[in-house]
């Protein structure tokens, strides 16, 4: 497997990596930037070894930017656009890369043109595995026998980008960040990553089952997609969440149906879900910020309100949590 990302307008190769041979038994980490361009800030963190490539990239471009992304060999791709308005361009059409969705694909020898419009910052995370790495990783996992994506790969039935996609949930969001941002000691990095990759694929399997369960719960397939899109949008925007009215307009569903189906699907109200996300994030901020800073980061205008919410959730205040 070989991967290359080339930025056309600045004639720069962001990264170019041959993953067909073992370069180092450990995971290699690199941070890459384009320092010489006044209108573009581009940086990528890549981690790789034979058959595995992990990338997290950020772009801030004042002009339109085109990324020619080339991959040789059979590969499995898991990608997520957290921010931006990018499009995939082909001879036939131009497809938006929908923000807030995880896309899974299985393909071979592809060259993809990605257009990023000016003044719309882009953030994406992606994982690429060779077919051999993927099959070796999951060979002893009992659940794969019932997984349709795995069956397509076993049969050599390519699944194009966009065929298999899911609005992100908090668990997937957390796992992706753990994989792309982790700085574990190299002695254990491979074992840690393989465990997290297995967890990622299992969670995606659960997402497929969740779709079936949602229909069983009495939510139409059309509304189910909208509810899961709302769920994904809240995960990305819980620090400054939209009102129910604004969220309903975004997903083209009336407010009453949104509230009803959201609770039916996830067992909690939208307000409860936002509080849950904020409190999960709050735990990670303990010891790194003051209580006042934590409240601001999480979108609380009132520090006492934040403290009371935290105590109601965990049984102790943020300050008491620092001493535990």
């Amino acid at each position: 497997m070989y991967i290359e990302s080339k930025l056309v307008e600045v004639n720069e190769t962001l990264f170019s990596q041959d993953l067909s041979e073992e370069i180092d038994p450990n995971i290699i980490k690199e941070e890459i930037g384009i320092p010489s361009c006044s209108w573009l800030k581009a940086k990528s963190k890549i981690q790789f070894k034979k058959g595995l490539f992990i990338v997290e990239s950020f772009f801030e471009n004042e002009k339109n930017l085109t990324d020619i992304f080339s991959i040789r060999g059979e590969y499995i791709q898991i990608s997520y656009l957290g921010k931006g308005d990018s499009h995939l361009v082909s001879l036939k059409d131009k497809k938006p890369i929908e923000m807030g969705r995880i896309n899974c694909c299985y393909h071979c020898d592809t060259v993809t043109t990605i257009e990023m419009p000016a003044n719309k910052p882009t953030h994406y995370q992606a994982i690429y595995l060779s077919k051999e790495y993927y099959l070796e990783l999951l060979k002893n996992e009992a659940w794969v026998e019932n997984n349709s994506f795995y069956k397509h790969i076993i049969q050599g039935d390519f699944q194009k980008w966009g065929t298999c996609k899911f609005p992100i949930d908090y668990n997937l969001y957390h796992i992706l960040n753990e994989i792309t941002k982790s700085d574990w000691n190299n002695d254990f990095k491979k074992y840690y990553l393989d465990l997290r990759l297995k967890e990622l694929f299992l969670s995606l399997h659960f997402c497929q089952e969740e779709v079936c369960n949602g229909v069983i719960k009495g939510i139409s397939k059309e509304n189910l997609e909208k509810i899961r899109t709302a769920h994904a949008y809240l995960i990305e925007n819980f620090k400054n969440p939209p009102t129910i009215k604004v969220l309903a307009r975004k997903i083209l569903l009336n407010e009453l149906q949104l509230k009803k189906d959201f609770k039916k699907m996830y067992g909690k109200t939208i307000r409860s879900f936002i509080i849950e996300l904020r409190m999960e994030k709050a735990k990670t901020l303990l010891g790194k910020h003051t209580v006042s800073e934590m409240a601001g980061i999480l979108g609380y205008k009132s520090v006492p309100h934040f403290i009371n919410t935290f105590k109601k959730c965990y049984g102790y205040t943020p300050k008491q949590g620092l001493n535990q």
Side-chain angles (χ1 to χ4, degrees):
M1 186 169 71
Y2 170 84
I3 292 180
E4 179 183 89
S5 170
K6 187 170 184 178
L7 305 179
V8 175
E9 286 77 7
V10 291
N11 195 28
E12 291 275 3
T13 298
L14 191 59
F15 48 78
S16 176
Q17 197 61 52
D18 186 349
L19 305 161
S20 59
E21 300 293 336
E22 189 73 83
I23 304 168
D24 191 306
N26 296 315
I27 303 291
I28 300 172
K29 296 181 286 186
E30 293 181 9
E31 293 192 8
I32 306 160
I34 304 293
S36 59
C37 186
S38 61
W39 60 268
L40 171 64
K41 292 180 182 177
K43 61 177 182 178
S44 289
K45 177 182 178 180
I46 62 174
Q47 304 174 76
F48 57 91
K49 70 183 305 294
K50 182 181 178 182
L52 175 66
F53 187 84
I54 300 165
V55 58
E56 179 175 32
S57 290
F58 299 85
F59 298 96
E60 291 183 17
N61 46 298
E62 296 174 4
K63 301 178 183 178
N64 291 341
L65 182 66
T66 308
D67 186 357
I68 305 296
F69 209 98
S70 307
I71 308 176
R72 290 205 302 265
E74 288 187 65
Y75 66 92
I76 288 84
Q77 173 184 344
I78 309 296
S79 56
Y80 171 65
L81 179 67
K83 182 184 290 186
D85 189 23
S86 304
H87 287 73
L88 294 182
V89 181
S90 68
L91 293 174
K92 294 181 180 179
D93 56 12
K94 182 189 289 190
K95 288 183 180 179
I97 302 176
E98 297 172 285
M99 195 168 66
R101 277 175 166 73
I102 288 209
N103 273 280
C104 311
C105 99
Y106 161 51
H107 221 287
C108 179
D109 297 336
T110 58
V111 178
T112 305
T113 301
I114 303 168
E115 290 185 349
M116 292 172 272
N119 300 312
K120 291 192 176 181
T122 299
H123 168 224
Y124 78 85
Q125 297 161 292
I127 301 164
Y128 300 87
L129 306 90
S130 68
K131 183 175 181 178
E132 293 78 13
Y133 196 106
Y134 174 85
L135 294 178
E136 179 65 23
L137 180 75
L138 300 180
K139 67 179 182 180
N140 296 320
E141 302 298 307
W143 58 267
V144 297
E145 295 179 4
N146 299 315
N147 183 261
S148 59
F149 187 67
Y150 181 83
K151 290 177 181 177
H152 285 301
I153 294 170
I154 287 290
Q155 295 165 4
D157 179 17
F158 292 142
Q159 299 293 293
K160 293 183 179 180
W161 189 94
T163 304
C164 181
K165 59 185 178 181
F166 307 96
I168 200 164
D169 62 22
Y170 186 80
N171 185 48
L172 287 169
Y173 183 81
H174 178 70
I175 296 169
L176 263 182
N177 279 315
E178 284 287 303
I179 291 172
T180 58
K181 299 179 187 295
S182 175
D183 289 314
W184 276 47
N185 185 296
N186 262 335
D187 292 341
F188 305 102
K189 183 81 170 182
K190 181 189 182 305
Y191 305 105
Y192 171 76
L193 276 177
D194 281 354
L195 285 171
R196 295 307 262 169
L197 287 168
K198 288 179 184 180
E199 185 180 8
L200 174 63
F201 285 112
L202 179 58
S203 296
L204 289 169
H205 176 65
F206 287 151
C207 282
Q208 289 181 319
E209 292 189 333
E210 187 182 75
V211 172
C212 297
N213 292 337
V215 175
I216 291 170
K217 288 178 181 178
I219 306 172
S220 70
K221 286 186 177 181
E222 182 182 359
N223 282 5
L224 178 62
E225 177 68 13
K226 292 177 179 180
I227 295 301
R228 298 187 79 234
T229 298
H231 189 262
Y233 187 84
L234 291 172
I235 288 171
E236 284 290 343
N237 297 279
F238 67 87
K239 296 175 187 176
N240 185 27
T243 63
I244 299 292
K245 186 174 184 178
V246 169
L247 185 60
R249 284 177 179 172
K250 282 185 176 294
I251 64 168
L252 304 178
L253 193 65
N254 71 65
E255 295 175 47
L256 183 62
Q257 197 68 49
L258 167 60
K259 291 190 286 187
K260 179 182 175 183
D261 284 353
F262 191 97
K263 187 169 184 181
K264 190 183 289 185
M265 184 67 197
Y266 297 108
K268 62 194 75 173
T269 65
I270 291 172
R271 181 175 180 276
S272 296
F273 180 57
I274 292 169
I275 292 172
E276 180 182 292
L277 291 173
R278 283 174 159 174
M279 292 302 102
E280 285 285 340
K281 182 64 176 179
K283 282 197 299 185
T284 70
L285 300 176
L286 283 173
K288 301 175 184 176
H289 299 273
T290 66
V291 174
S292 179
E293 287 171 342
M294 289 170 65
I297 290 169
L298 296 169
Y300 285 94
K301 295 179 181 178
S302 165
V303 175
H305 182 205
F306 163 64
I307 294 171
N308 289 335
T309 304
F310 189 97
K311 186 174 182 180
K312 187 175 180 181
C313 182
Y314 296 116
Y316 51 84
T317 67
K319 189 174 181 180
Q320 290 169 337
L322 288 172
N323 298 324
Q324 290 188 1

